Amino acid sequence: MIVERIVINMLEITYKDGSSTSKITYNSVDDFIANQRLETPDLEDYYEIENATIDGKEVDLSDKTIMGLYKQLSD
């Protein structure tokens, strides 16, 4: 019997763009990383993160910017 384990790792990010707060969800951490590598990503590197969760668990960020999250997750 072959048992396949599927790991989703849904990523939710609440961030500030100037004075407004927005939320974006990615189906996986890999989707976020791939999107940030695009010529025109969904999120600017300098956006300030208020909260980021993976599968509902908060991510402890040392650099609370989109670039900081990208670096932490792509290591």
Side-chain angles (χ1 to χ4, degrees):
M1 173 188 238
I2 297 174
V3 177
E4 199 172 315
R5 184 174 175 205
I6 299 173
V7 179
I8 299 294
N9 294 326
M10 183 179 286
L11 174 64
E12 292 184 339
I13 305 167
T14 304
Y15 64 95
K16 288 188 86 166
D17 175 13
S19 61
S20 65
T21 300
S22 299
K23 186 179 212 176
I24 191 167
T25 302
Y26 292 93
N27 290 327
S28 69
V29 169
D30 290 340
D31 285 351
F32 166 73
I33 291 169
N35 184 275
Q36 286 306 111
R37 291 179 177 161
L38 296 174
E39 186 173 331
T40 309
D42 290 337
L43 305 168
E44 297 292 336
D45 292 342
Y46 61 85
Y47 286 172
E48 181 183 341
I49 296 175
E50 290 189 347
N51 185 327
T53 61
I54 298 174
D55 291 339
K57 296 179 183 175
E58 191 159 350
V59 178
D60 185 26
L61 297 170
S62 55
D63 178 352
K64 293 190 172 227
T65 63
I66 295 299
M67 179 55 78
L69 177 62
Y70 171 82
K71 286 179 179 178
Q72 185 169 328
L73 295 178
S74 61
D75 284 344

